[in-house]
Amino acid sequence: MGTLFKGGTVITASDMVPADVLVEGEQVVMIGKNIPGKGHEVVNCKGKYLMPGGIDVHTHLDLDFGGTYSNDDFDTGHKAAAFGGTTMHIDFVIQPTGGSLHDGLNIWRKKAEPAQIDYGFHLAVRDLNEAVLNEIPSLLDEGVTSLKLFMAYKNVFQIDDRTLYLAMRQAAAHGMIVMVHAENGDVEEQLRLQLLAENKTEPHWHYHSRPPEIEGEATNRAVVMAGMTGCRLYVVHMTCEPAVDALRRGRALGYPVMGETCVQYFHLTYDKHLRAPGFEGAKFVCSPPIRSTHDQGILWQAVRDGTLQVVSTDHCDFWYEGGVGPWQQWAKDHNGGDWPAFEKQNPTYRRPGKELGKGNFAKIPNGLPGLEDRMMVMWHLGVNTGKISPSRFVELNCTNPARIFGCYPRKGTIAVGADADIVVWDPKKVHTLSAKTHHMRVDYNLYEGMKVKGAPAQVYLRGKKIVDGDQWLGSNGSGKFIARKPHAPIL
Ligand code: URP
Ligand code: ZN
Ligand code: ZN
């Protein structure tokens, strides 16, 4: 007995066709017209769309960053993702200080034990010594095909140009892809110190320490190195015209370069959100910063014309009002303890969050929530307004992430033989985004009060229903690590 999705319209990156979909076990086994329901559990999909589960290739769950840890972990974050129609994500393993890449992988494997949806790992290299350079190819045996290099966050994650160049050369030789956070961290440091010296400390000064020029310059540098080394390059969270221009130039020259933006950059602006009264702007502090309506126009154009291939979230959430309870004493006594588990058992405690930066914008932990909201917001802002077609929506949120990161066609499409990660999407469902109702573990929502039209009705992971309306049916440990393949196509 299988599950028969009957009477819906299947949306893939190329087509939108009325069809029934039959799932047996964990896979799609048949797509066709009038498939008989006898012997199967029938899901009535009349008036609904059937889309592949969303894949968010840019998340930071349970990340030690900014003087605290990001809130959502591989338990809460997974549940939130699924409620929004995302059934797989790829998280960034960070090479520990003084440790190997495999040390980092082992730390993240432990974090991922409660997994409820499928996941993969990228590896962020911080210290490229000889041993680490030689270790890179062995990541392929672990199903990890992508490296990440931060060109910013001086004295934290930032690497130098030598590292960027050597890592790209090594990645190119093995068909791996290099992802970069493209901002010039050295210039950012100088701008930041200057602003603080002038007593400019409110949240919106964050923007002025990271203007579009430093994103454009770093993007161009990485693009040129991709051209020199032949390495596939994927620029993460692109926000502005100089960066998009640099990528477009590289593509016109035939370099193997691609890029993503994140859903929040289509909605949030410096004027409205970062400059909100009081400390409110801290809710929207991320890097690169949110920009202007002009840049939003540039980003829409870039996702329409194919300069950008993916929309992700960069989900990395922090409490707006954190540091609640005798937190600091506990952290001191339990150095290295399991912060998320402790908080869950002691709901009156909250680890530090955005409030760390009161009086100094540079101390606001950088990052935003969004894993749950991505598909609904992109549908609402993109499809409902006619900026992108439903098929382009699927391509940006599901198919291209799977193609670029080596798990297509198992993931990212609805096809015979693919994993049955299926979202039954109700285009008529109206849903109000709010911190009161979302499942992310954070006390604010970027889109608070936004009424979106179009949302998941049911979500299936490898054939198993994990979300039914407001009901959670998933379970810890049922999410699988997805080993990925190298040699990504250049889209
Ligand atoms: O502000 C951000 N983006 N925080 C997460 C880390 C990163 O740079 O992606
Ligand atoms: Zn980044
Ligand atoms: Zn990120």
Side-chain angles (χ1 to χ4, degrees):
M1 165 163 156
T3 307
L4 180 65
F5 296 85
K6 202 159 182 52
T9 297
V10 177
I11 310 180
T12 64
S14 56
D15 303 300
M16 193 167 165
V17 285
D20 301 338
V21 176
L22 180 62
V23 169
E24 276 175 3
E26 297 196 337
Q27 292 182 340
V28 174
V29 295
M30 195 187 292
I31 301 173
K33 290 270 188 208
N34 304 319
I35 300 177
K38 196 158 180 269
H40 301 304
E41 183 191 334
V42 176
V43 182
N44 179 3
C45 297
K46 202 159 181 293
K48 308 284 197 309
Y49 295 140
L50 296 175
M51 305 197 298
I55 303 177
D56 190 340
V57 296
H58 189 157
T59 63
H60 303 279
L61 299 180
D62 195 8
L63 177 67
D64 178 357
F65 187 48
T68 181
Y69 279 69
S70 61
N71 280 8
D72 274 309
D73 56 20
F74 283 77
D75 179 12
T76 61
H78 279 193
K79 203 171 180 173
F83 270 106
T86 290
T87 51
M88 178 176 168
H89 73 113
I90 311 184
D91 209 72
F92 290 94
V93 172
I94 309 282
Q95 177 193 3
T97 314
S100 70
L101 304 180
H102 281 78
D103 290 340
L105 257 185
N106 289 335
I107 294 169
W108 255 258
R109 283 180 177 136
K110 184 109 194 81
K111 287 178 193 280
E113 274 171 10
Q116 317 220 36
I117 62 169
D118 289 351
Y119 62 95
F121 294 134
H122 311 291
L123 229 140
V125 177
R126 295 163 90 178
D127 175 16
L128 190 71
N129 54 43
E130 197 62 26
V132 170
L133 189 64
N134 292 330
E135 191 188 357
I136 287 174
S138 68
L139 293 174
L140 295 176
D141 303 332
E142 313 286 347
V144 174
T145 60
S146 37
L147 301 179
K148 168 79 174 286
L149 297 165
F150 287 91
M151 300 169 78
Y153 301 129
K154 185 103 177 148
N155 301 324
V156 184
F157 296 149
Q158 186 175 328
I159 48 82
D160 56 15
D161 288 349
R162 172 189 168 276
T163 299
L164 182 59
Y165 179 72
L166 291 180
M168 278 188 161
R169 239 179 32 186
Q170 181 73 315
H174 297 276
M176 297 174 81
I177 187 166
V178 164
M179 310 166 80
V180 289
H181 170 133
E183 286 183 294
N184 185 321
D186 288 351
V187 176
E188 178 278 325
E189 181 186 40
Q190 294 311 311
L191 293 171
R192 168 172 29 102
L193 293 174
Q194 191 181 330
L195 291 165
L196 291 174
E198 292 165 8
N199 211 20
K200 293 172 172 163
T201 59
E202 295 91 344
H204 74 92
W205 292 107
H206 172 75
Y207 177 96
H208 301 279
S209 69
R210 311 180 92 108
E213 289 83 353
I214 72 164
E215 188 184 335
E217 185 280 324
T219 304
N220 185 58
R221 201 166 3 123
V223 164
V224 170
M225 286 204 212
M228 290 171 72
T229 57
C231 180
R232 292 165 176 80
L233 174 73
Y234 178 94
V235 184
V236 301
H237 51 38
M238 296 180 65
T239 70
C240 61
E241 188 164 23
V244 172
D245 281 350
L247 187 72
R248 196 173 272 132
R249 261 195 317 275
R251 290 173 65 79
L253 288 167
Y255 296 170
V257 296
M258 296 176 274
E260 72 170 22
T261 189
C262 305
V263 58
Q264 59 271 23
Y265 293 114
F266 290 114
H267 176 67
L268 305 173
T269 60
Y270 170 80
D271 287 340
K272 187 162 173 206
H273 297 92
L274 256 187
R275 287 209 66 123
F279 190 61
E280 197 76 0
K283 288 179 177 172
F284 310 105
V285 166
C286 61
S287 295
I290 55 176
R291 305 287 187 193
S292 63
T293 50
H294 171 76
D295 288 301
Q296 289 177 347
I298 299 289
L299 294 178
W300 279 119
Q301 178 58 29
V303 293
R304 282 165 62 93
D305 70 18
T307 303
L308 298 181
Q309 293 73 30
V310 172
V311 175
S312 70
T313 62
D314 192 11
H315 181 85
C316 185
D317 55 353
F318 300 99
W319 298 116
Y320 177 56
E321 293 183 62
V324 176
W327 174 260
Q328 279 166 343
Q329 188 54 46
W330 185 86
K332 223 161 98 194
D333 295 346
H334 299 77
N335 194 17
D338 186 344
W339 293 24
F342 177 78
E343 272 184 355
K344 276 183 198 162
Q345 285 153 20
N346 300 275
T348 53
Y349 281 69
R350 275 185 187 182
R351 72 194 77 174
K354 297 280 188 183
E355 79 295 335
L356 284 172
K358 279 191 177 152
N360 181 348
F361 73 83
K363 293 196 170 154
I364 301 170
N366 284 206
L368 306 182
L371 189 50
E372 183 170 355
D373 302 326
R374 177 181 67 137
M375 307 271 278
M376 290 179 280
V377 174
M378 272 312 284
W379 184 272
H380 189 69
L381 298 181
V383 178
N384 289 347
T385 58
K387 289 190 179 74
I388 54 172
S389 68
S391 281
R392 183 63 179 157
F393 169 89
V394 166
E395 195 165 32
L396 291 165
N397 289 290
C398 319
T399 316
N400 282 351
R403 286 171 173 154
I404 295 171
F405 291 100
C407 52
Y408 179 85
R410 176 177 178 187
K411 300 287 186 187
T413 192
I414 296 185
V416 171
D419 278 1
D421 300 340
I422 295 177
V423 180
V424 181
W425 188 265
D426 183 350
K428 295 209 175 85
K429 184 168 166 183
V430 175
H431 175 69
T432 304
L433 300 171
S434 171
K436 290 192 195 91
T437 50
H438 72 202
H439 301 82
M440 297 176 287
R441 197 152 163 275
V442 63
D443 53 348
Y444 71 101
N445 187 294
L446 296 181
Y447 313 98
E448 187 63 43
M450 184 193 274
K451 259 196 172 94
V452 291
K453 191 168 172 210
Q458 286 112 22
V459 179
Y460 290 75
L461 174 70
R462 283 179 278 104
K464 182 182 179 313
K465 185 159 49 170
I466 57 172
V467 170
D468 192 354
D470 296 337
Q471 223 190 329
W472 177 245
L473 303 170
S475 55
N476 287 123
S478 59
K480 266 194 193 161
F481 174 77
I482 303 297
R484 299 179 288 112
K485 294 188 240 40
H487 304 291
I490 315 300
L491 302 176

